[in-house]
Amino acid sequence: MKENTLKHIEHTDITQFQSDLIGWFTEEQRDLPWRKDQDPYKVWVSEIMLQQTRVDTVIPYFLNFIDKFPTVATLAAAPEEEVLKAWEGLGYYSRVRNLQSAVKEVHEQYNGQVPNTPNEISKLKGVGPYTAGAILSIAYGIPEPAVDGNVMRVLSRILSIWKDIAKPSSRKVFEEAIRKLISHENPSFFNQALMELGALICTPTSPKCLLCPVREHCHGFHEGVQNELPIKTKKKSTRSVSLAAAVLVNENGEFLIHKRPSTGLLANLWEFPNCEIGDFSTARKQLEQFLLTEYGLQVDLENGVKTKIDHIFSHLKWNINVYFGKINQSDQPNDSSMEIVTEEELAKYAFPVSHQKIWKCYVDERGILN
DNA sequence: AAGACGTGGGA
DNA sequence: TTCCCAAGTCT
């Protein structure tokens, strides 16, 4: 069965395949900011940002992040608040907390040098099998597989592999294939070329086979099944959660914000006080009760719901009822996870997009009133 | 193994 | 609207 899965490798001219693939990448690769040099730190940052995230989205974040934290030493020394702020809006925020944690370890345990062995680099927080292979091959020229979604899709087609790429167990099949195919002369370009091919030519839908530099090596194309591959089972739909949130302002024009717990969803990001509710019809009462029992705040929320915000995550959906309310200057948080800040100071804190939407609602509404 | 973990874009 | 993503990792 195992031999059968990769049977097409026997009929692949590996040297010619490498040459065609790397030759194409050399000519056609996109000009991307993390391709200016092979600084292991910058390669690392880019690979973490690119996890589950589009190139076009990453570019401005990468430029800003490297501007703010150009080296291992600067990121290791940075306040977490600033680091999270630089990641604000990118999503999967544990990536950047793990990155800074790992960078601190590199700074302290490896004298600031990103390790260059599979064993050492894989121990770093947030560095899984893909990222380890990407850094080792791109920054250090070490022939390790870097198997991401692109590579699994491309190889599924080229080698006509009918394994479900959604299953974690499938990854090792593709790693095995890459170990047989990878160029030892230029593992960096080989790995990047496979991903670039997946992004530009061998796309999820409507692959541009007529433009493909390795079409002659592609068993899926020759079998006419390139549109049937890869096999990928779909995931379950998301569940819905109802929330009520409050934008609370005092006589000084200062706002109450709350820092989320250090684990779980949107960890360590800031938000407007909110709670999960069972029933929209009594949302305001539930929120007032929550503010009293959790934060010791006696608040009269304005009567009407200001807006209803829908926010979709990968695995769940928030339906947020937004309320406005006044607090007194004498109301101080009874909780160290809360702060009272001016509108100007708000810009220093990292908020998830869902709560940026709440703030936008407040600004829009206030603009009408003023 | 399967679910948690974000977001914005395209069909 | 709904679904599927896009250079994955952690638990």
Side-chain angles (χ1 to χ4, degrees):
Chain A
M1 185 57 185
K2 178 177 157 191
E3 285 72 21
N4 196 37
T5 306
L6 294 180
K7 61 181 185 296
H8 288 305
I9 284 199
E10 314 298 332
H11 307 292
T12 299
D13 182 341
I14 294 178
T15 303
Q16 187 59 236
F17 173 73
Q18 294 169 346
S19 173
D20 290 342
L21 182 65
I22 290 173
W24 170 80
F25 181 73
T26 302
E27 295 301 318
E28 304 292 339
Q29 65 172 293
R30 289 168 290 180
D31 184 15
L32 299 174
W34 46 88
R35 289 178 174 163
K36 300 291 187 193
D37 59 51
Q38 287 104 247
D39 176 357
Y41 167 72
K42 286 191 265 186
V43 171
W44 184 7
V45 170
S46 73
E47 291 302 340
I48 299 297
M49 284 189 171
L50 286 162
Q51 290 170 8
Q52 302 291 286
T53 311
R54 288 182 159 76
V55 164
D56 288 344
T57 303
V58 167
I59 289 173
Y61 281 92
F62 177 81
L63 292 172
N64 177 60
F65 198 92
I66 293 300
D67 185 51
K68 294 257 181 25
F69 317 111
T71 62
V72 164
T74 49
L75 182 56
E80 189 193 68
E81 193 64 43
E82 284 180 31
V83 177
L84 273 176
K85 186 68 189 176
W87 208 269
E88 182 185 56
L90 241 198
Y92 286 142
Y93 299 94
S94 67
R95 289 184 294 176
V96 75
R97 292 185 304 114
N98 287 153
L99 173 62
Q100 190 185 24
S101 167
V103 159
K104 284 179 177 175
E105 185 176 346
V106 168
H107 184 61
E108 290 158 16
Q109 307 297 325
Y110 296 98
N111 193 29
Q113 303 299 305
V114 179
N116 63 353
T117 66
N119 191 38
E120 290 174 309
I121 202 166
S122 297
K123 286 180 182 156
L124 298 171
K125 266 185 216 164
V127 178
Y130 163 74
T131 305
I135 297 172
L136 290 168
S137 61
I138 297 171
Y140 293 116
I142 296 169
E144 284 289 314
V147 175
D148 70 340
N150 282 132
V151 171
M152 288 195 284
R153 179 177 63 258
V154 170
L155 277 193
S156 286
R157 288 170 178 161
I158 292 176
L159 296 176
S160 190
I161 297 172
W162 295 76
K163 285 257 179 197
D164 182 357
I165 67 171
K167 290 193 184 306
S169 60
S170 297
R171 206 196 69 249
K172 62 180 185 299
V173 172
F174 294 92
E175 284 182 350
E176 187 188 349
I178 292 295
R179 287 191 189 283
K180 294 180 178 178
L181 294 173
I182 193 169
S183 162
H184 286 242
E185 288 67 48
N186 198 342
S188 168
F189 272 28
F190 182 90
N191 280 342
Q192 291 187 79
L194 236 26
M195 294 187 277
E196 194 83 340
L197 192 66
L200 301 181
I201 305 287
C202 197
T203 45
T205 58
S206 320
K208 305 169 179 65
C209 297
L210 297 183
L211 300 177
C212 182
V214 295
R215 182 182 61 237
E216 293 310 311
H217 305 281
C218 185
H219 296 275
F221 178 75
H222 288 306
E223 295 167 8
V225 295
Q226 71 273 190
N227 291 113
E228 320 301 319
L229 293 169
I231 303 297
K232 187 173 189 180
T233 55
K234 28 194 173 283
K235 31 195 159 173
K236 319 178 0 180
S237 59
T238 62
R239 72 176 202 278
S240 283
V241 176
S242 299
L243 303 174
V247 180
L248 302 176
V249 59
N250 67 16
E251 309 91 300
N252 266 163
E254 296 169 317
F255 298 88
L256 183 61
I257 58 175
H258 172 251
K259 187 174 186 175
R260 295 177 61 87
S262 60
T263 58
L265 184 65
L266 306 170
N268 284 1
L269 271 68
W270 292 80
E271 65 183 2
F272 297 102
N274 67 89
C275 63
E276 190 169 339
I277 58 175
D279 180 2
F280 277 127
S281 65
T282 57
R284 187 167 63 89
K285 286 293 174 208
Q286 291 179 67
L287 182 54
E288 284 177 351
Q289 184 58 230
F290 170 83
L291 292 170
L292 183 59
T293 59
E294 292 298 312
Y295 303 137
L297 290 173
Q298 178 69 247
V299 181
D300 284 322
L301 268 7
E302 289 177 30
N303 230 320
V305 181
K306 290 306 175 185
T307 191
K308 289 171 176 289
I309 289 173
D310 284 346
H311 189 75
I312 317 284
F313 297 91
S314 48
H315 57 304
L316 61 85
K317 177 168 158 182
W318 276 355
N319 314 113
I320 312 172
N321 268 17
V322 179
Y323 294 87
F324 296 165
K326 297 258 198 277
I327 53 177
N328 298 313
Q329 216 176 325
S330 55
D331 285 335
Q332 290 303 314
N334 67 353
D335 186 325
S336 63
S337 66
M338 309 201 77
E339 301 263 2
I340 293 181
V341 300
T342 66
E343 177 169 351
E344 194 164 70
E345 288 166 339
L346 273 177
K348 303 263 191 193
Y349 296 80
F351 286 82
V353 170
S354 48
H355 285 259
Q356 293 174 21
K357 291 179 184 174
I358 293 173
W359 178 248
K360 181 181 185 314
C361 165
Y362 179 84
V363 170
D364 289 349
E365 193 77 16
R366 190 187 54 181
I368 294 169
L369 293 177
N370 289 347

